[in-house]
Amino acid sequence: MNVEEEVAGWIRQARYAVALTGAGVSTESGIPDFRGPNGVWTKDPKAERLSNIHAYLADPEVRADVWQMRISHPAWTAAPNAGHLALVDLERRGHLQALITQNIDGLHAIAGTAPEVLIEMHGTMRDVTCLSCGDREPAQPTFDRVLAGDPDPVCLRCGGILKSATISFGQALRPDDLHRAERAATSCDLMIAIGSSLLVYPVAALPQVALDCGARLVIINAERTPYDERADAVIRDPIGEVLPRIAALV
Ligand code: NAD
């Protein structure tokens, strides 16, 4: 039996299976990851500053750069790929109970993952929120203000700093998302980590939580992760090829 048949068998047997995805599931949709060979940070280490909440709060120039980056983000024209769709297929056939993602691109939801299954741990770039009053709305009206010449638009209700409804480094996760993810990790008997370097905490702690609760761990990622030695199987092939192959075997 090859490793894909073995993983398909584990998915079939699982009572509660969880997928944990990272930026690597979206690279085949044309959205670069952070740490892969063509990653945003690999190519330009200074870009890391644009993902830091302290720099965002302190520096209007950082905010202006972030708005420009958001408006020109490849996610606006990207479509879900075969990897996203294979996860929807598994969910609809009753083989995936939770999908925890670190991605902010919204592609799992667009692919059709159900809201009650999807946990977007790092939020979504498709909404904008006020860091003072918490007001939240779709991103486009704020983008329109930037495009009309306001480099750092403020909240129209309270004058506070606006930001994509994403979780930057240094920012706390939303408690509800954290609770749902912890519940999934402690409930599952199979966790499949897909396209993540598994370096960003607290999400990177979830595979250990699942292992401690007796779950099997499968890693599908092109590069090494800190969990490879603890995993029951590690697959390095491209996600958009390997996930549909496994789904077809389930
Ligand atoms: P990461 O960049 O740290 O790691 C991505 C991993 O995926 C790499 O190890 C890479 O080798 C692997 N990979 C890339 N394409 C692959 C493919 N086609 N097949 C197999 N493996 C592939 O990503 P991360 O662990 O998600 O952490 C990055 C952080 O940045 C997250 O917090 C996330 O919120 C954010 N981010 C999100 C997006 C997005 O929404 N699409 C994109 C970049 C970064």
Side-chain angles (χ1 to χ4, degrees):
M1 201 190 313
N2 71 27
V3 65
E4 290 176 10
E5 286 168 338
E6 195 167 29
V7 171
W10 294 340
I11 294 173
R12 253 193 325 270
Q13 287 162 17
R15 184 183 36 78
Y16 192 116
V18 174
L20 171 62
T21 69
V25 77
S26 292
T27 55
E28 289 164 74
S29 293
I31 302 173
D33 59 16
F34 277 173
R35 298 181 184 78
N38 294 311
V40 175
W41 293 359
T42 313
K43 287 182 159 173
D44 176 13
K46 286 202 300 293
E48 195 163 347
R49 192 169 152 74
L50 300 185
S51 299
N52 182 293
I53 189 66
H54 305 296
Y56 191 89
L57 288 172
D59 189 345
E61 280 181 28
V62 167
R63 297 199 287 276
D65 286 350
V66 170
W67 287 120
Q68 293 300 330
M69 178 179 76
R70 281 283 176 258
I71 287 172
S72 59
H73 199 283
W76 298 112
T77 50
N81 65 55
H84 298 101
L85 296 173
L87 291 171
V88 176
D89 176 32
L90 287 173
E91 175 198 330
R92 291 194 178 156
R93 290 194 282 138
H95 293 302
L96 191 66
Q97 279 62 46
L99 197 171
I100 305 168
T101 188
Q102 300 168 82
N103 294 346
I104 59 167
D105 56 35
L107 290 185
H108 285 301
I110 292 172
T113 298
E116 59 274 21
V117 169
L118 184 60
I119 310 168
E120 291 178 311
M121 294 293 281
H122 294 164
T124 174
M125 55 178 279
R126 294 178 188 266
D127 287 344
V128 163
T129 186
C130 173
L131 295 176
S132 297
C133 72
D135 189 35
R136 184 171 171 136
E137 63 166 36
Q140 193 58 50
T142 305
F143 289 176
D144 290 342
R145 291 166 65 196
V146 176
L147 291 168
D150 183 349
D152 176 25
V154 295
C155 176
L156 293 174
R157 269 174 142 200
C158 77
I161 293 175
L162 290 178
K163 182 181 171 295
S164 271
T166 55
I167 307 292
S168 296
F169 289 94
Q171 217 177 347
L173 298 189
R174 299 203 313 179
D176 185 46
D177 293 335
L178 199 51
H179 289 149
R180 286 178 69 206
E182 281 168 356
R183 204 165 49 233
T186 52
S187 306
C188 72
D189 50 359
L190 175 66
M191 179 174 279
I192 311 178
I194 303 161
S196 174
S197 57
L198 298 177
L199 292 172
V200 179
Y201 280 81
V203 172
L206 295 172
Q208 189 58 53
V209 172
L211 286 169
D212 289 345
C213 293
R216 282 197 172 102
L217 176 65
V218 174
I219 292 176
I220 305 176
N221 201 63
E223 294 174 292
R224 283 189 55 75
T225 82
Y227 279 97
D228 287 4
E229 277 72 35
R230 284 169 272 175
D232 294 276
V234 178
I235 300 175
R236 300 251 180 255
D237 291 349
I239 293 158
E241 296 172 20
V242 76
L243 274 182
R245 281 203 302 263
I246 290 175
L249 290 167
V250 173

